[in-house]
Amino acid sequence: MDVVGIIAEYNPFHNGHLYQLNVVKKKFPKATIIVVMSGNFLERGEPAILDKWTRAREAILNGVNLVIELPVGFCVQPADRFALGAMRILRDLGVTKLVFGAEHASYDFSRLADLTGTIHGDFSIYNESYAKAYQRIVTQETGLDISNPNDLLGLSYAKANLLLGNFLNLYPIQRQAAAYHDQNLPKDSTIASASAIRSGIFTKKADISKYVPKETLEDIKNNLSLSWQDFWPMLRYRISTSSIEELAQIYAMNEGLEYRIKSKLERLGPKATFEEWISSVKSKRYTYTHLSRIAIMILLHVKNSDIEVIEQFPYIRVLGFDETGKAHLNNIKKAIEFPIIAKVSQKIVKNKLELDHQAGLVYEQFNGSRQEYGRIPFRR
Amino acid sequence: MDVVGIIAEYNPFHNGHLYQLNVVKKKFPKATIIVVMSGNFLERGEPAILDKWTRAREAILNGVNLVIELPVGFCVQPADRFALGAMRILRDLGVTKLVFGAEHASYDFSRLADLTGTIHGDFSIYNESYAKAYQRIVTQETGLDISNPNDLLGLSYAKANLLLGNFLNLYPIQRQAAAYHDQNLPKDSTIASASAIRSGIFTKKADISKYVPKETLEDIKNNLSLSWQDFWPMLRYRISTSSIEELAQIYAMNEGLEYRIKSKLERLGPKATFEEWISSVKSKRYTYTHLSRIAIMILLHVKNSDIEVIEQFPYIRVLGFDETGKAHLNNIKKAIEFPIIAKVSQKIVKNKLELDHQAGLVYEQFNGSRQEYGRIPFRR
């Protein structure tokens, strides 16, 4: 039987995601669909607009059979690490096919991975970001443009697949609707980018009901929509009360960035916004996204050792399932290597979930609803 | 010439403080009055309602000649350490008389200090706070009740004076009006406790104009009045994202209190208030005030080494002065041992003011007005 995997953020779950699920169901009518989803903090270094439980429920109610949380240590990472963290979980869960959206679905991502697997960005050119350097070299080697975010993620999935023994087949789907970053809500389509939808929600100027399923619409009505604006006071407080030495211990902090982060904040003064601060730290070397990820690492107080722990001791954290998802879990239970976590206890927090638990405590401070202790997966 | 010292918090400056100044002026008509004032965080473990610059200005405009900031590492401390920090500054500034309010102005505080100077609280009785144990023993030895907060502070001043070679004479003044903790605004008097005045400000139900000079009234109208309610989200965020080991490094954290502090918070969940949290941690051993001080230490990320630094390298931080205060500073300049800081530079922050600077950054995040860089003393 087909087991299809999807790696997603669902921030929030919208009609584009639903479209993707329908394509999967048409192509593999009997498949079990498993989604590895980011938790409360996301790949591009930002808090999720709705918490992971809410977003997992939206996904299950719209046809996903099983939602697994990607541990926060893998979520807030560049594409390659993000992809590898998620792909390890998919392999352990017996997934045989990966479906993903791409700007160029026609690319042969597996072959691209073969060609580029050993390429690393030339980090010696100092006025270029790592991402830019990497893309430039890939294009030199292959002649293909991989600068679009979903193409780049696709390549990362393919490289992770290669590393993990090519355990699944890749099925890129041509991205519908606007580009990832398009801030406009299109008039002639029911599909918009997540980013345009979020922007509509935050400015409260746009009617987004056309672009999301009813479950998402209700969730947006019934919950606070969170963004960096909410978490920024905590971040600036943390930077203000951390010494240079303490900041230097934060994961991915290097090249003396800690000085720049602290001094720019002090110069801006007490009324600066998150965007003003990050723009003042930004350079050709440090992109907005790179700095946003570091900002999350500071906010959640993530150190190198925390990331090492989750890399060495992966686990499967279940956020939601339906009957099909449950049956699949039961079927493969014996074959699974990673421990399955359905309910959080103090013992589990201490041994495995320390970082996710901490991230949950920070998120729930704004969201008001407990993220870890006592929460059980959504069941359809 | 007489140089009279006062140790105060002015939280905020009210008619009781003005009364005290007038008593001093009547008693010592030609005296220069120097106040050592707590900065933005106070003795009982709470943020100041108005920032230190605002409060210093109120004091100068009401007749104080020179206001010096007590470094934050001495402010948020039990009476003995608070007193010693302030008295060292007064000695360096050539102060010859200390005036202070007391519930029992008739006590001979110098003699009391002689009798009790070597007494320390018996900390081995586990269901008694340090303060309670200390007061019990003093009463056993002297037959006098020193459980009232201003009597206790007076005794601490006297003990510090003894330690510092009896450099000044003590002038206790009988406290007017209600007791320190009285929450009522009296109808038949223009003097109320600072605590009653703050309570009136926060509940916005009471007219406090009768109890404060016009400068204070204007300051309250023109500034946000801050309390733990403002800083609590930061504190809870800090506790949530600190490991047990990190919390254990905070100044005055001992006997495993870090476990209790963290676990009680997690049990209470995301909607708990500061009062709910502290009440849940409180015990006979750990009083509300003791825990409030530790809360400030966590908030400001103060470690043992930070307190050692300020004890070893004291300084005189000028917040405000008039012509008389300025003349006094000029007169004694050469005799002063401690460095005088009038304007904060990066170099000064790095060498001396690190902790105060950090406290300023935390305070200004709520208050909106810069506390350190670029600020100069108020000049009348």
Side-chain angles (χ1 to χ4, degrees):
Chain A
M1 212 183 69
D2 287 325
V3 184
V4 172
I6 292 173
I7 299 168
E9 301 212 297
Y10 294 159
N11 186 41
F13 188 93
H14 59 60
N15 290 346
H17 301 125
L18 188 56
Y19 166 84
Q20 188 191 38
L21 289 179
N22 290 334
V23 169
V24 171
K25 285 183 178 173
K26 208 165 173 184
K27 212 173 166 84
F28 311 106
K30 295 197 163 175
T32 299
I33 303 177
I34 300 180
V35 170
V36 172
M37 188 187 82
S38 297
N40 292 325
F41 296 93
L42 306 180
E43 208 264 334
R44 295 182 68 79
E46 58 194 355
I49 189 165
L50 296 169
D51 76 27
K52 58 191 182 187
W53 301 100
T54 306
R55 283 147 53 230
R57 185 173 168 276
E58 291 166 2
I60 298 289
L61 291 175
N62 280 281
V64 174
N65 303 118
L66 177 62
V67 179
I68 304 297
E69 179 181 358
L70 183 64
V72 69
F74 296 123
C75 291
V76 189
Q77 292 278 11
D80 280 359
R81 279 175 166 267
F82 172 84
L84 188 57
M87 290 287 278
R88 283 174 77 190
I89 292 172
L90 292 180
R91 184 176 66 168
D92 204 44
L93 286 169
V95 168
T96 54
K97 296 175 160 60
L98 182 77
V99 173
F100 60 94
E103 287 84 0
H104 296 89
S106 58
Y107 285 179
D108 181 342
F109 285 91
S110 296
R111 198 169 151 267
L112 256 179
D114 271 333
L115 286 171
T116 62
T118 54
I119 292 176
H120 290 282
D122 178 0
F123 217 32
S124 63
I125 300 170
Y126 233 77
N127 62 359
E128 187 176 52
S129 70
Y130 182 87
K132 272 257 171 64
Y134 174 75
Q135 287 164 26
R136 187 173 43 77
I137 296 170
V138 169
T139 303
Q140 277 169 18
E141 297 285 317
T142 65
L144 297 177
D145 170 21
I146 54 130
S147 66
N148 288 297
N150 290 280
D151 287 346
L152 196 64
L153 270 173
L155 177 55
S156 295
Y157 300 147
K159 288 195 293 183
N161 193 32
L162 192 63
L163 270 175
L164 298 172
N166 276 322
F167 69 97
L168 54 64
N169 294 316
L170 303 170
Y171 293 88
I173 296 180
Q174 188 61 42
R175 291 267 299 177
Q176 297 296 308
Y180 185 80
H181 289 297
D182 196 327
Q183 291 294 321
N184 295 317
L185 293 165
K187 281 186 184 155
D188 53 352
S189 164
T190 58
I191 293 181
S193 73
S195 147
I197 292 169
R198 287 197 301 276
S199 166
I201 295 169
F202 287 123
T203 58
K204 290 194 171 66
K205 280 182 192 147
D207 176 13
I208 55 127
S209 57
K210 186 176 150 189
Y211 309 102
V212 297
K214 68 176 194 304
E215 291 80 10
T216 303
L217 201 63
E218 275 166 31
D219 288 339
I220 289 164
K221 277 185 192 153
N222 299 331
N223 292 278
L224 286 176
S225 299
L226 299 183
S227 73
W228 257 120
Q229 210 184 313
D230 302 287
F231 293 85
W232 165 237
M234 303 296 150
L235 177 65
R236 74 170 297 150
Y237 158 74
R238 189 72 187 222
I239 295 170
S240 294
T241 56
S242 296
S243 67
I244 288 291
E245 294 70 28
E246 285 163 338
L247 282 180
Q249 285 170 26
I250 295 296
Y251 177 77
M253 189 79 79
N254 52 26
E255 300 175 346
L257 190 54
E258 61 274 18
Y259 290 94
R260 197 171 161 88
I261 277 176
K262 205 168 158 69
S263 67
K264 293 287 183 184
L265 180 66
E266 293 193 7
R267 205 163 305 164
L268 284 170
K271 286 168 186 165
T273 63
F274 175 75
E275 284 72 24
E276 283 165 356
W277 168 71
I278 218 157
S279 300
S280 77
V281 182
K282 200 172 156 286
S283 66
K284 281 185 182 160
R285 180 67 160 177
Y286 302 117
T287 62
Y288 195 96
T289 303
H290 179 70
L291 293 170
S292 300
R293 284 190 195 116
I294 288 190
I296 295 277
M297 296 296 171
I298 299 171
L299 178 74
L300 302 183
H301 200 44
V302 181
K303 286 159 288 177
N304 288 332
S305 54
D306 298 313
I307 300 295
E308 280 163 23
V309 167
I310 60 149
E311 279 176 350
Q312 281 170 35
F313 305 103
Y315 48 84
I316 289 173
R317 177 85 189 275
V318 183
L319 293 179
F321 54 81
D322 64 4
E323 287 301 319
T324 309
K326 188 185 168 195
H328 178 75
L329 268 186
N330 282 334
N331 281 342
I332 57 154
K333 221 179 229 172
K334 285 183 186 159
I336 283 183
E337 266 183 60
F338 304 164
I340 296 181
I341 300 173
K343 193 176 169 181
V344 172
S345 67
Q346 267 191 308
K347 199 179 144 200
I348 287 174
V349 165
K350 203 165 171 55
N351 294 326
K352 305 205 183 306
L353 276 190
E354 211 139 4
L355 195 56
D356 282 299
H357 173 63
Q358 205 159 287
L361 289 175
V362 175
Y363 197 87
E364 74 187 29
Q365 193 168 335
F366 293 96
N367 155 284
S369 112
R370 292 227 190 210
Q371 293 299 303
E372 306 301 327
Y373 284 131
R375 291 300 294 255
I376 52 167
F378 173 69
R379 203 172 159 158
R380 188 188 186 179
Chain B
M1 210 185 64
D2 287 326
V3 185
V4 172
I6 292 173
I7 299 169
E9 300 212 299
Y10 294 158
N11 186 40
F13 189 93
H14 58 62
N15 290 346
H17 301 125
L18 188 56
Y19 166 84
Q20 188 190 37
L21 289 178
N22 290 335
V23 169
V24 171
K25 286 184 178 171
K26 209 165 172 181
K27 210 172 167 82
F28 312 107
K30 294 197 163 175
T32 299
I33 303 178
I34 301 181
V35 170
V36 173
M37 188 188 80
S38 297
N40 292 325
F41 296 93
L42 308 180
E43 208 264 333
R44 296 183 66 78
E46 58 194 356
I49 189 164
L50 296 169
D51 76 27
K52 59 192 183 188
W53 301 101
T54 306
R55 283 150 50 231
R57 184 173 169 276
E58 291 166 5
I60 297 289
L61 291 176
N62 281 281
V64 172
N65 303 118
L66 177 61
V67 179
I68 305 297
E69 178 180 0
L70 182 64
V72 69
F74 295 123
C75 291
V76 189
Q77 291 278 11
D80 280 0
R81 281 178 164 265
F82 172 84
L84 187 58
M87 290 287 280
R88 284 174 77 187
I89 292 172
L90 292 180
R91 184 176 66 168
D92 204 44
L93 286 170
V95 169
T96 54
K97 295 173 162 57
L98 182 76
V99 173
F100 59 95
E103 288 83 0
H104 296 89
S106 59
Y107 286 179
D108 181 342
F109 285 92
S110 296
R111 200 170 151 264
L112 256 179
D114 271 332
L115 287 172
T116 61
T118 55
I119 291 178
H120 289 282
D122 178 0
F123 217 31
S124 63
I125 301 172
Y126 232 78
N127 60 359
E128 190 178 46
S129 70
Y130 182 87
K132 272 256 170 65
Y134 175 74
Q135 289 165 26
R136 186 171 45 75
I137 296 171
V138 169
T139 303
Q140 276 169 19
E141 299 283 319
T142 64
L144 297 177
D145 170 21
I146 54 130
S147 66
N148 288 297
N150 290 280
D151 287 346
L152 196 64
L153 270 171
L155 177 55
S156 295
Y157 300 147
K159 288 195 294 182
N161 193 32
L162 191 64
L163 269 174
L164 298 171
N166 277 322
F167 70 97
L168 53 66
N169 294 316
L170 302 171
Y171 293 88
I173 296 179
Q174 188 61 43
R175 290 267 301 175
Q176 295 297 308
Y180 185 80
H181 289 297
D182 196 328
Q183 291 295 318
N184 296 317
L185 293 165
K187 281 186 184 155
D188 53 352
S189 165
T190 59
I191 294 181
S193 73
S195 147
I197 293 169
R198 288 197 302 277
S199 167
I201 295 169
F202 286 123
T203 59
K204 292 193 168 66
K205 281 181 191 148
D207 176 13
I208 56 127
S209 57
K210 187 175 151 189
Y211 310 102
V212 297
K214 67 175 196 300
E215 291 80 9
T216 303
L217 202 64
E218 273 166 33
D219 288 338
I220 288 164
K221 277 185 192 154
N222 299 332
N223 292 278
L224 285 176
S225 298
L226 299 183
S227 72
W228 257 120
Q229 209 184 315
D230 302 288
F231 293 85
W232 165 235
M234 302 298 152
L235 177 65
R236 75 169 298 149
Y237 158 75
R238 190 69 184 224
I239 296 171
S240 294
T241 56
S242 295
S243 66
I244 288 291
E245 295 71 30
E246 285 162 339
L247 283 179
Q249 286 169 25
I250 295 298
Y251 177 77
M253 188 79 77
N254 53 25
E255 301 176 346
L257 190 54
E258 62 275 18
Y259 289 94
R260 197 172 161 88
I261 278 175
K262 205 169 158 72
S263 67
K264 293 287 185 185
L265 180 66
E266 294 194 5
R267 206 164 303 164
L268 283 170
K271 286 167 187 166
T273 63
F274 176 73
E275 284 73 23
E276 283 165 355
W277 168 71
I278 218 158
S279 300
S280 78
V281 181
K282 199 170 156 285
S283 66
K284 282 184 182 161
R285 180 70 160 177
Y286 302 118
T287 62
Y288 195 96
T289 303
H290 179 71
L291 293 171
S292 300
R293 286 192 194 114
I294 288 190
I296 296 278
M297 296 297 171
I298 300 171
L299 178 75
L300 301 183
H301 201 45
V302 181
K303 286 158 288 176
N304 288 332
S305 54
D306 297 314
I307 300 295
E308 281 162 24
V309 166
I310 60 149
E311 279 175 351
Q312 282 170 36
F313 305 104
Y315 48 84
I316 288 172
R317 177 84 190 274
V318 183
L319 293 179
F321 54 82
D322 65 5
E323 287 303 319
T324 309
K326 188 184 167 191
H328 178 75
L329 268 185
N330 282 334
N331 282 343
I332 58 157
K333 221 180 232 173
K334 282 184 187 157
I336 284 184
E337 266 184 59
F338 304 164
I340 296 182
I341 300 173
K343 193 177 168 182
V344 172
S345 67
Q346 265 190 310
K347 198 178 147 200
I348 288 175
V349 165
K350 203 165 170 55
N351 294 327
K352 306 209 184 302
L353 275 191
E354 209 139 5
L355 195 55
D356 283 300
H357 172 63
Q358 206 159 288
L361 289 175
V362 174
Y363 197 88
E364 74 186 28
Q365 191 168 335
F366 293 95
N367 156 284
S369 115
R370 291 226 190 213
Q371 293 300 303
E372 307 300 328
Y373 284 132
R375 290 300 292 256
I376 53 167
F378 172 70
R379 203 172 162 157
R380 189 188 185 178

